[in-house]
């Protein structure tokens, strides 16, 4: 499966070719806004034909799971803070 935005040979900042086996840059998925941006980017890439729709579906599913996990973490932290205030 090709990564989002991955090409056989990519052009670098000054026009040099980047080998196809170069890992893609790390994607920020630290908060809900970042996950939403990445989900939107996957959608745009699928619409533009840059990635297969099956791959976009899989990536979207995983991004959704990450969003749910982040939401649970935030709620747990808030609950713990409220419980600490009442102690």
């Amino acid at each position: 499966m090709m990564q989002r935005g991955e090409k056989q040979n990519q052009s670098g900042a000054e026009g040099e070719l980047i080998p196809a086996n170069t890992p893609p840059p790390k994607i920020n998925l630290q908060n809900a806004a970042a996950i939403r941006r990445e989900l939107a980017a996957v959608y745009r890439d699928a619409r533009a034909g840059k990635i297969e729709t099956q791959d976009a579906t899989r990536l979207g599913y995983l991004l959704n799971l990450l969003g749910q996990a982040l939401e649970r973490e935030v709620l747990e932290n808030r609950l713990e803070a409220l419980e600490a205030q009442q102690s």
Side-chain angles (χ1 to χ4, degrees), residues 3 13 15 18 33-34 41-42 44 50-52 54 71-72 77 81:
Q3 298 294 322
I18 300 171
V42 168
R44 284 190 302 272
K50 292 180 182 178
I51 60 173
E52 298 290 328
Q54 276 186 319
E71 182 180 18
R72 280 191 299 272
N77 290 341

Side-chain angles (χ1 to χ4, degrees), residues 21-41:
N21 61 353
T22 301
K26 291 194 177 190
I27 299 169
N28 174 16
L29 299 173
Q30 296 298 314
N31 56 48
I35 293 170
R36 181 194 52 78
R37 282 191 302 272
E38 182 60 18
L39 190 56

